[in-house]
Amino acid sequence: MIRVTILKEWVKLRFLIVTLGLFALVLMMILAYQTHTLFLSSEPEALLWYRFVFFNAHPHGFLKIVYLCLGFSVTLAQFYIERNRGRILVHLPISPWFTLGLHQFVGLGIIIIFGSIISIGIWLVFMEFYPDVLLHVSLYDNLWSLLGGCLAYLGGTVLVMESKFKIILLKALFIAASLGFFVSLETNEYLFLWFVVGFICLLLGIDSILAISNKRLKTFYPLQFAKFNIDSQHKEL
């Protein structure tokens, strides 16, 4: 099952993977050009280092938005078609947790590989212009932005797989508020909170899949996400 799913995802997403690889190289070329131009037009170098530290003037700052867009793009490419097959997946003799988790393992893997390419590019470019301590900060910033991309991916999965419009609005409100707060942060704060948000998105994703067969996770009963009774719903069907 694992091998078949990974192979299926590769066949479905191979063009996206190649495109993202080329896109990562283009981003690194743009970053290298911008950084080189910035240091040529500014003297001394210490002035740019000062702005980097005290004014968060990071040449790679735009990557946070890039990762968010990447997360949603991978979600659409991977799950927009799968939502039509969701009813089949729910009725397979396999746990929905395992089914969704296996697909998300592939999606998150794509995002992490993309982030690894970006990290290598940042290291190669910035090692010529910034001291080691700022280079390490830049790599850590990239990992932080990568976390945002993973959250966007998980949140996008929730919305794409959900079939009830009112529930989509409620979940979209939570996801938009979480990502909006994430983007607004200038420093890498509340790390544990974002892992909690990611876990909640995993639960909401399972809830969205179960909703295809008119079920909900009981975990969300207080939030009106799991207000259901399996026996009564079978009678209604």
Side-chain angles (χ1 to χ4, degrees):
M1 177 64 184
I2 296 178
R3 180 181 178 183
V4 172
T5 300
I6 294 178
L7 180 60
K8 176 179 70 70
E9 293 300 292
W10 161 251
V11 172
K12 182 175 64 178
L13 301 174
R14 63 186 185 278
F15 295 111
L16 175 67
I17 294 173
V18 173
T19 301
L20 290 178
L22 295 176
F23 181 60
L25 294 178
V26 171
L27 278 180
M28 289 303 94
M29 293 174 62
I30 294 174
L31 183 61
Y33 174 78
Q34 289 182 342
T35 305
H36 181 71
T37 303
L38 182 65
F39 275 83
L40 283 181
S41 59
S42 299
E43 292 184 2
E45 293 181 345
L47 178 61
L48 294 176
W49 300 346
Y50 179 86
R51 294 177 58 192
F52 185 104
V53 174
F54 294 101
F55 295 98
N56 290 324
H58 301 169
H60 58 285
F62 67 94
L63 290 177
K64 182 179 288 188
I65 302 300
V66 170
Y67 278 112
L68 292 179
C69 295
L70 171 67
F72 286 120
S73 299
V74 175
T75 296
L76 290 175
Q78 188 177 16
F79 288 106
Y80 186 75
I81 299 177
E82 293 293 337
R83 64 179 299 178
N84 298 324
R85 305 171 184 170
R87 188 173 297 274
I88 298 176
L89 295 177
V90 168
H91 291 290
L92 289 176
I94 303 172
S95 169
W97 292 89
F98 181 80
T99 302
L100 181 62
L102 190 56
H103 284 76
Q104 289 183 331
F105 173 79
V106 176
L108 291 174
I110 293 173
I111 296 174
I112 291 173
I113 291 174
F114 179 88
S116 300
I117 296 174
I118 298 296
S119 294
I120 294 174
I122 289 177
W123 181 72
L124 292 175
V125 173
F126 284 10
M127 66 182 298
E128 299 293 333
F129 300 99
Y130 290 100
D132 289 343
V133 62
L134 298 187
L135 175 60
H136 295 158
V137 170
S138 299
L139 293 174
Y140 184 71
D141 285 345
N142 184 61
L143 291 178
W144 179 256
S145 299
L146 176 61
L147 174 61
C150 293
L151 292 175
Y153 170 79
L154 295 175
T157 302
V158 172
L159 300 181
V160 171
M161 298 300 293
E162 179 59 54
S163 57
K164 307 296 183 182
F165 180 72
K166 292 183 179 180
I167 304 299
I168 288 178
L169 292 180
L170 291 174
K171 293 181 177 181
L173 180 63
F174 168 76
I175 293 169
S178 300
L179 293 180
F181 182 56
F182 180 88
V183 172
S184 68
L185 294 176
E186 295 184 357
T187 56
N188 307 336
E189 299 175 305
Y190 313 114
L191 181 61
F192 178 74
L193 171 64
W194 301 117
F195 282 103
V196 173
V197 170
F199 180 72
I200 292 175
C201 287
L202 287 174
L203 295 180
L204 291 176
I206 295 294
D207 182 72
S208 296
I209 287 184
L210 291 176
I212 297 174
S213 59
N214 297 318
K215 298 178 183 179
R216 291 286 177 184
L217 275 180
K218 292 182 179 180
T219 306
F220 296 103
Y221 180 81
L223 300 177
Q224 300 300 317
F225 285 125
K227 196 174 184 180
F228 76 98
N229 184 296
I230 296 179
D231 294 332
S232 63
Q233 287 189 359
H234 279 304
K235 292 179 181 179
E236 292 176 3
L237 295 175

